[in-house]
Structures are given as C-alpha cells and as structure tokens.
Amino acid sequence: MAVSLTEKRPGAAARARARRRSWHRHWYAWAMVAPVLIVMAALIGWPLARGVYLSLTDATEANVGRTIGVNVIPSRYEFVGLENYLGILTSGLFWAKLAWTVVWTVACVALHYGLGLGLAVLLHRKLRFRSVYRVLLILPWAIPAFVAAFIWRYLFNSDYGVINAMLEAAGFGAVGWLNDPFTARIAVIAVNVWLGVPFMMVAMLGGLQSIPKELYEAAEVDGATPWQRFTNITLPSLRAVSSTVILLGTIWTFNMFPVIYLVTGGGPGSETEILVTYAFREAFTGVRNYSGSATWGVIILLLLVLMAFGYRRALRKTGEVW
C-alpha cells in the first residue's frame, strides 16, 4: 500500500496549513507590499541578473548588438564562464585597488564614528546656542555630494585654491594636493569625512538622548569619574546604534563614487581609484568593456555581502541581536 509524502512527513502538512492560515490572515498586507516588490524586481532584480549574466560573457563595445539608423547589428559576444573572474582575481591590479579601498573605508568610517561621537557628546550637553551649532554641523549632510566635491576640488586646487592661499599667507609653501598620490588620498579622505560626520553625529545624538539620566546620576553618586561613566554607560548603551551606523557607513564608503570621481577623477594616474570607480572606468571610458565592468560589480557585491554576514556574526557572538 503506497504511503503519501504528507503521511511520511506530518510536519510538512502542518507547515502548509500554517502558511494557508497566514495567507488568509495577512493577504491585505501582502497586497500592499506587492507593488513595491514588483518595482524592486524591475529596478534592482533585472539589472542585477543582467549584470551577472554579462560577467560570464566577453561583451564589449565592439561586439554588443546595437541599432545604427535602419541597420540592426546583432550581438556577437560569447559565454566564457568564470574566465573574467579568474582574470581579475589573479591580477595584481585588483588586489592593489582592493587594498586602497579597504584603507579608504576603514580610515573614513573610523573618523566618521570618532568625530561624530565626539560632537554628539558635546552637543548633548547644555550649551548656549546649542541649536545653532547643531544646524551648522548638519549642513555638510544637507549639501549634495557632487556640489560638495566640486567645492572641495576648488579648495584643493594647486594654483588658486583657498587652502594653498592660506598656507602661503602663513609662510608655508603651496602643496600640490591633487597632483601627488599621497596628498590626493589624504584630500579625498578629508572630503568624505566632512560629508559623513554629520550623519554619525545625528545618529549618535539620538542614541545619547535615549539613555536614561538616572544611570548617570547613580554612577555619579557611586563616585564614578566622567571617563568611567562614558566607558561603562555611554558606549555600552550606544552599541546597538553604533553597530548599525558603522555597517551603513562601511557600505556607503566602500561604494562612495562621487568623492573619488569628482575630486580627483581617480588620479593622479589611477592612484586614488577604488573598486567602484574602476568598474565605472571599464564600462564608460575607452573601448567599453561591459563584461569586465559587470565582473567588477559582482565582485564588489560579493565582498559587501561577505562583510555584512561576518559583521552580523561577530555581533551575535558579543550578544547583539541584529
């Protein structure tokens, strides 16, 4: 006598009934979410799938299909499997760009968090004109990134930049900020820090305002110093906020295209190019290498996914739920 699959696995039938009950109970919520899911699939899912497919081909500007007037030129690119990935991962160029991208990300996020937390602690205290200070410090976040990048490029200009003018007025020599690899990297880090600190400051300030004042009062009664109150009350209470903003800051900085592209253009040479700007160069400069650019993009995505999973696992080991 044949035994059905549901009889062999009674738990499967129970799960199926639970799903049906959930659908009948929450169908309206799913109906509301459906348009968003469809739009995300169209705007994110399809380009992502297309990019992964192109990364497995040898598509370039010379062999993709296109229409010129009434003439239709068919595509001639071929499937090459993982050849593009092997070529990139075994090249010294990739590892050099990855090393600079990691340095850029770590330096920027560390300065974002440190300066943002410091300013948040200062603005959390009772100060005269505190509201004015908050508005002034949040202005860099309100300015579009491309506008700020053009302003800073002018400030760092070797010939007529304001920063060199100030140095010369103080008796120092002019510095070719964007002409030397080391100073160009310092310049782009400074610009990105100026743009990113306000976000960290606002997030940390919100976290500080959620900490009960009774904890500080009890610690002060027990004789705790300001540093002890900061390390034993403030930092642990901000752990949930800190973990979220550090992850978001890392993802944003890792993919911070406007600052690098608009301030230095990746120069001098390609010394300040990070992974995402090099992927752009592959797709939109010279003979456009669409498959190579797509491969760089998929590798960047995989690196960020691995980083996010590793970060999440580390938080769980320390007791954080995220």
Side-chain angles (χ1 to χ4, degrees):
M1 180 176 175
V3 180
S4 66
L5 184 62
T6 56
E7 291 176 352
K8 288 183 179 180
R9 295 190 304 169
R15 287 194 295 269
R17 288 195 298 268
R19 284 194 294 268
R20 285 195 295 269
R21 286 196 300 269
S22 176
W23 168 254
H24 290 305
R25 184 180 304 172
H26 304 295
W27 68 269
Y28 185 79
W30 285 109
M32 293 295 99
V33 172
V36 178
L37 294 177
I38 294 172
V39 171
M40 289 184 63
L43 297 182
I44 299 176
W46 166 246
L48 177 61
R50 179 66 176 172
V52 172
Y53 169 72
L54 285 177
S55 71
L56 301 173
T57 68
D58 61 352
T60 65
E61 186 179 18
N63 58 21
V64 295
R66 54 195 180 275
T67 301
I68 303 176
V70 296
N71 300 315
V72 178
I73 302 176
S75 299
R76 302 190 310 277
Y77 58 83
E78 300 176 351
F79 183 83
V80 296
L82 299 177
E83 182 178 321
N84 293 325
Y85 292 93
L86 293 175
I88 290 176
L89 294 176
T90 56
S91 68
L93 176 66
F94 169 77
W95 297 106
K97 298 302 178 190
L98 178 61
W100 160 234
T101 303
V102 171
V103 171
W104 148 268
T105 303
V106 172
C108 289
V109 173
L111 290 171
H112 286 166
Y113 183 77
L115 294 175
L117 179 58
L119 291 172
V121 170
L122 290 176
L123 293 179
H124 187 55
R125 299 179 178 181
K126 293 182 179 180
L127 298 172
R128 293 185 62 186
F129 308 113
R130 183 170 60 176
S131 299
V132 176
Y133 297 147
R134 288 180 178 179
V135 171
L136 292 176
L137 288 171
I138 207 173
L139 278 179
W141 194 27
I143 299 175
F146 73 92
V147 175
F150 280 125
I151 294 173
W152 277 98
R153 182 169 183 172
Y154 168 74
L155 294 177
F156 281 120
N157 188 275
S158 302
D159 299 323
Y160 48 83
V162 175
I163 295 177
N164 274 349
M166 294 173 62
L167 290 175
E168 292 175 350
F172 299 98
V175 178
W177 292 101
L178 306 181
N179 300 324
D180 179 76
F182 179 75
T183 55
R185 290 180 173 182
I186 296 296
V188 292
I189 289 175
V191 175
N192 195 51
V193 169
W194 185 82
L195 287 170
V197 164
F199 169 76
M200 289 288 184
M201 181 192 71
V202 171
M204 292 295 103
L205 188 58
L208 288 172
Q209 291 174 345
S210 67
I211 302 175
K213 295 181 180 179
E214 292 80 6
L215 295 178
Y216 293 103
E217 293 172 356
E220 191 172 359
V221 170
D222 291 338
T225 63
W227 177 251
Q228 289 174 329
R229 295 197 296 271
F230 178 75
T231 56
N232 294 288
I233 297 176
T234 303
L235 289 181
S237 300
L238 291 175
R239 190 174 298 162
V241 178
S242 299
S243 60
T244 301
V245 296
I246 288 174
L247 177 62
L248 291 175
T250 301
I251 294 173
W252 292 340
T253 304
F254 201 88
N255 289 321
M256 181 54 70
F257 177 84
V259 171
I260 301 293
Y261 184 75
L262 296 176
V263 175
T264 64
S270 62
E271 293 296 325
T272 58
E273 277 193 330
I274 58 177
L275 293 176
V276 67
T277 57
Y278 190 83
F280 173 85
R281 180 195 290 267
E282 285 283 281
F284 295 103
T285 60
V287 178
R288 300 179 179 182
N289 185 3
Y290 300 126
S291 59
S293 178
T295 307
W296 282 83
V298 173
I299 291 174
I300 293 170
L301 175 62
L302 293 176
L303 288 173
L304 289 174
V305 170
L306 290 175
M307 183 275 299
F309 274 110
Y311 187 66
R312 183 171 180 264
R313 187 173 182 180
L315 289 179
R316 284 194 168 186
K317 285 184 177 180
T318 59
E320 289 290 327
V321 179
W322 178 77

